């Protein structure tokens, strides 16, 4: 797991990220949103998970919001690079979920192309590889999302969660 405390050099990026998220929330930009997350697996089959730096500091799949006029796949490539430092190729859509009233999230399988794993201080507190035999120990709803995504990948289907 990569988990590091914030340092003084991280402070400007952390404040800038908090102000940007706060402004989008207050301005209503987050009223109806589309999100994208990635199932990225390493050579051993472990899934990359990220713990957010902002409250409530939950574990989730890495990803983010789709900006207006942006394709979901392009948003995912951008968000993964920003949050994790990894370059990815977006694969198949695995899960469509609507767990929050005004938000739909698309979960894609992704292939790691390169980059060095490093959490973005303004958004990500920690990154970890979750081994396949520990997926059942992930907090919900993350565990259910990962199980659905892996099942959809194995079956060649798309799963829907609400």
């Amino acid at each position: 797991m990569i988990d590091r405390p914030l340092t003084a050099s991280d402070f400007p990026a952390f404040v800038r990220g908090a102000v940007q998220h706060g402004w989008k929330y207050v301005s209503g930009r987050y009223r109806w949103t589309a999100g994208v997350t990635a199932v990225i697996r390493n050579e051993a089959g472990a899934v990359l998970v990220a713990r957010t730096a902002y409250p409530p500091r939950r574990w989730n799949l890495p990803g983010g919001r789709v900006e207006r006029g942006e394709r979901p796949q392009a948003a995912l490539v951008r968000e993964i690079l920003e949050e994790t430092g990894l370059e990815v190729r977006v694969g198949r859509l695995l899960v469509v979920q609507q767990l929050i009233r005004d938000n739909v999230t698309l979960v894609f399988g992704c292939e790691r192309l390169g980059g060095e794993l490093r959490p973005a201080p303004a958004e990500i507190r920690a990154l970890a590889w979750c081994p396949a035999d520990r997926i059942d120990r992930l907090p919900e709803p993350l565990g259910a999302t990962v199980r659905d995504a892996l099942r959809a990948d194995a079956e060649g289907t798309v799963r829907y969660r609400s």
Side-chain angles (χ1 to χ4, degrees):
M1 173 167 55
I2 298 177
D3 187 2
R4 65 178 184 81
L6 289 174
T7 63
S9 64
D10 294 329
F11 190 71
F14 183 79
V15 170
R16 186 173 47 254
V19 168
Q20 288 171 344
H21 282 291
W23 171 249
K24 288 178 181 177
Y25 182 78
V26 170
S27 69
R29 188 132 187 230
Y30 285 168
R31 279 198 191 112
W32 174 255
T33 60
V36 285
T37 59
V39 174
I40 304 168
R41 291 190 270 185
N42 65 13
E43 302 79 26
V47 175
L48 183 64
V49 293
R51 185 171 184 212
T52 57
Y54 45 85
R57 293 184 175 85
R58 291 189 180 129
W59 285 97
N60 204 344
L61 292 170
R65 298 186 194 281
V66 180
E67 298 292 330
R68 291 175 198 241
E70 188 177 33
R71 294 187 60 222
Q73 295 88 339
L76 189 55
V77 168
R78 173 181 54 76
E79 287 285 353
I80 297 301
L81 184 60
E82 287 174 7
E83 290 186 356
T84 70
L86 298 181
E87 298 168 4
V88 297
R89 176 181 299 125
V90 179
R92 216 168 51 71
L93 176 64
L94 302 173
V95 179
V96 176
Q97 64 184 14
Q98 186 176 9
L99 303 178
I100 303 170
R101 186 173 66 93
D102 293 338
N103 182 41
V104 65
T105 300
L106 307 174
V107 182
F108 290 91
C110 287
E111 176 187 357
R112 181 179 177 177
L113 299 177
E116 185 174 326
L117 200 59
R118 56 159 179 68
E123 296 185 53
I124 302 299
R125 174 77 171 93
L127 295 168
W129 293 102
C130 179
D133 63 350
R134 293 190 167 229
I135 289 172
D136 287 335
R137 296 182 186 175
L138 289 172
E140 297 303 335
L142 173 58
T145 300
V146 172
R147 286 188 296 277
D148 278 352
L150 296 178
R151 202 171 300 127
D153 193 35
E155 296 169 352
T157 61
V158 176
R159 305 200 48 100
Y160 298 91
R161 299 190 66 234
S162 60

